[in-house]
Amino acid sequence: MALITLAPDVYSVGVKDPDLAIFDIVIPTECGTTYNAYLVKGSDKTALIDCVKRPFSDEFIQNITDICPLESIDYVIVNHSEPDHSGALVELLQLRPDAEVLFTRAAKSFIDNLVNRDYRHRIVKDGEELQLGGKTLVFQETPFLHWPDTMLTWLKEDRILFTCDFLGAHYSSESNFNDELKDPEAAQRAFEFYYATIMRPYKDYILKATQRVRELNPKIVAPSHGPILRKDPLSYLDYYEERASILNRIHEVRVPVVYVSAYGNTEAMARKVAEGLAEGGVTPVLLNAVETPIAAIVDEFEKASGFLIGTPTLNADVPHPILELVASLVFLNMRGKPASVFGSYGWSGEAIRTVHDILQSMRMKVGPDPIKARMTPSKAELEECVNFGRTFAEIVKAPAAK
Ligand code: FEO
């Protein structure tokens, strides 16, 4: 197999998983993914940067041994300990038990519990250098990109930054570098979707990291998913920075009111709730969850100071579009945000309590108490909806909610 070379004695040794349809149980991967790993050979020492998902261990080890015997690996650097990058470490250490594993303090317990036996390891600190002989690796602690353990590894002489998930994309193709892509638009879509579904909750950490990366001014960004970014790597950073600073550009208090409605009753309540919000001085954004793509609703939630959900009850349960919406909140950091529920029902209205309980379990600030109306809301119940909206406006305008 032709070697994939980033710079002299710097190789990509990862694997491709083009058929993967869903990553991490919930994230669709239209173009599969890759698990990139890198080998850096100095004149004295050799380091492996990240591993791959465990089922690909054989192929990964073959890729390494195409370049050098496993016995020559002195260090395995774990930028991030999630099993898609660390799984094959178990096989690697069985074959090369003398390799020293380097990681952040936060990664230690994850790797201890992955390897489940004694192994050589060392915790590295932010800014620490590792000399390989003519190649110097510098570790950059960047927690919460996207786990608490994450770090970036900088190869000083070649100006290559190994970023693991950061700036990655679930995208597999025959091309290894972004300047060789046959369908760059599809790769860009995968990059943006990756940001939206994995990185988006960590805005503050992203903005800190982008500043550091900009100072390094890398020639190549080598993530552990998707194409190696050799052409204009900083443009990808620009995208992260622009998206992560979105809240700095919102100068109003916005509250999405997302609803579904089989017979127009929950919709009538939603419209009155929105009226109350507007009277209370906030900007309501009415969204029908059946007609609005889930990604657009999540984008709207990202700009919101709080949100309200209107749900009827179907067969004593929550209708699927609302369940899907609530499940999608995992892509945002909504902890502590004000939220509440309302809806019309026919028999017993369980959905309202269920959604309320889910929001509470997601640590949102749920209030005021949910309201519900049986069948067609009466004039008095619609007036109650306006008051509900007004009260919610006061809650979101309170300083602690912003
Ligand atoms: Fe690609 Fe967070 O693992």
Side-chain angles (χ1 to χ4, degrees):
M1 197 188 82
L3 300 183
I4 305 163
T5 308
L6 284 73
D9 295 319
V10 182
Y11 305 95
S12 175
V13 291
V15 300
K16 293 180 180 176
D17 189 0
D19 299 324
L20 184 80
I22 303 281
F23 182 82
D24 260 5
I25 310 167
V26 292
I27 299 167
T29 45
E30 202 183 320
C31 301
T33 194
T34 66
Y35 312 107
N36 305 342
Y38 302 95
L39 192 73
V40 181
K41 288 173 69 178
S43 56
D44 302 326
K45 304 280 187 187
T46 296
L48 182 63
I49 301 176
D50 288 322
C51 294
V52 303
K53 202 170 172 179
R54 197 163 182 179
F56 296 86
S57 298
D58 290 349
E59 185 184 343
F60 171 56
I61 285 164
Q62 181 65 54
N63 290 348
I64 297 170
T65 52
D66 284 347
I67 297 166
C68 65
L70 288 186
E71 294 68 39
S72 65
I73 293 177
D74 300 287
Y75 306 106
V76 182
I77 291 150
V78 175
N79 276 333
H80 168 39
S81 51
E82 194 164 5
D84 54 326
H85 308 294
S86 63
L89 176 65
V90 180
E91 271 71 19
L92 188 86
L93 290 179
Q94 277 164 6
L95 298 167
R96 174 58 181 149
D98 289 340
E100 187 175 28
V101 183
L102 307 185
F103 42 49
T104 62
R105 182 169 297 283
K108 184 177 180 319
S109 63
F110 295 122
I111 297 299
D112 286 353
N113 287 289
L114 174 89
V115 175
N116 284 320
R117 64 176 175 82
D118 289 340
Y119 64 107
R120 294 187 63 215
H121 62 272
R122 182 157 60 86
I123 289 167
V124 296
K125 295 206 169 63
D126 187 42
E128 186 174 328
E129 294 194 352
L130 181 71
Q131 298 294 344
L132 304 177
K135 304 270 188 200
T136 311
L137 298 178
V138 189
F139 305 114
Q140 314 270 332
E141 276 197 68
T142 50
F144 293 101
L145 297 179
H146 61 123
W147 275 18
D149 63 346
T150 42
M151 65 175 184
L152 315 179
T153 297
W154 172 236
L155 172 52
K156 215 189 232 184
E157 289 79 2
D158 298 302
R159 292 187 35 228
I160 301 174
L161 187 63
F162 300 95
T163 56
C164 201
D165 285 337
F166 187 62
L167 303 172
H170 286 312
Y171 185 79
S172 176
S173 73
E174 60 197 41
S175 315
N176 298 301
F177 293 89
N178 67 334
D179 51 11
E180 296 171 343
L181 290 166
K182 300 229 169 17
D183 189 350
E185 286 78 21
Q188 181 65 23
R189 278 199 303 278
F191 171 80
E192 293 179 8
F193 188 66
Y194 189 93
Y195 173 87
T197 51
I198 293 177
M199 287 294 166
R200 176 150 60 172
Y202 306 99
K203 292 184 178 59
D204 292 345
Y205 298 99
I206 287 170
L207 292 174
K208 271 187 210 157
T210 51
Q211 200 177 333
R212 288 185 82 160
V213 175
R214 216 171 272 293
E215 283 162 16
L216 293 172
N217 192 21
K219 198 165 121 195
I220 298 178
V221 165
S224 291
H225 294 295
I228 299 164
L229 308 174
R230 185 165 61 181
K231 181 184 163 198
D232 204 4
L234 293 185
S235 65
Y236 297 86
L237 203 67
D238 291 343
Y239 179 84
Y240 266 43
E241 224 164 37
E242 200 261 335
R243 290 305 306 260
S245 58
I246 192 168
L247 290 178
N248 302 342
R249 299 189 295 279
I250 304 291
H251 302 296
E252 59 185 349
V253 180
R254 295 170 75 87
V255 173
V257 182
V258 188
Y259 65 92
V260 294
S261 189
Y263 298 106
N265 295 326
T266 298
E267 180 173 1
M269 293 177 77
R271 292 190 181 284
K272 286 292 174 184
V273 168
E275 204 177 297
L277 286 167
E279 283 176 16
V282 308
T283 305
V285 185
L286 263 177
L287 298 164
N288 183 325
V290 173
E291 294 165 0
T292 315
I294 192 80
I297 299 177
V298 173
D299 282 352
E300 193 54 58
F301 272 40
E302 186 173 28
K303 296 181 272 184
S305 302
F307 62 89
L308 293 165
I309 293 178
T311 181
T313 298
L314 285 186
N315 293 330
D317 219 331
V318 183
H320 184 261
I322 297 296
L323 274 182
E324 193 187 359
L325 168 67
V326 172
S328 298
L329 296 179
V330 74
F331 299 135
L332 298 171
N333 182 3
M334 300 299 285
R335 185 178 292 196
K337 289 268 184 196
S340 193
V341 199
F342 61 89
S344 158
Y345 67 102
W347 292 0
S348 44
E350 289 90 340
I352 294 152
R353 176 50 57 184
T354 305
V355 173
H356 169 275
D357 292 350
I358 296 172
L359 296 179
Q360 235 171 18
S361 72
M362 295 173 95
R363 300 192 197 173
M364 283 162 215
K365 187 175 159 194
V366 185
D369 284 343
I371 53 170
K372 55 185 181 179
R374 192 158 198 182
M375 302 296 282
T376 304
S378 66
K379 199 174 165 196
E381 284 167 329
L382 289 174
E383 192 48 46
E384 194 188 352
C385 291
V386 176
N387 289 335
F388 180 79
R390 257 193 235 116
T391 307
F392 194 77
E394 293 309 314
I395 292 171
V396 291
K397 287 193 305 183
K402 289 182 184 162

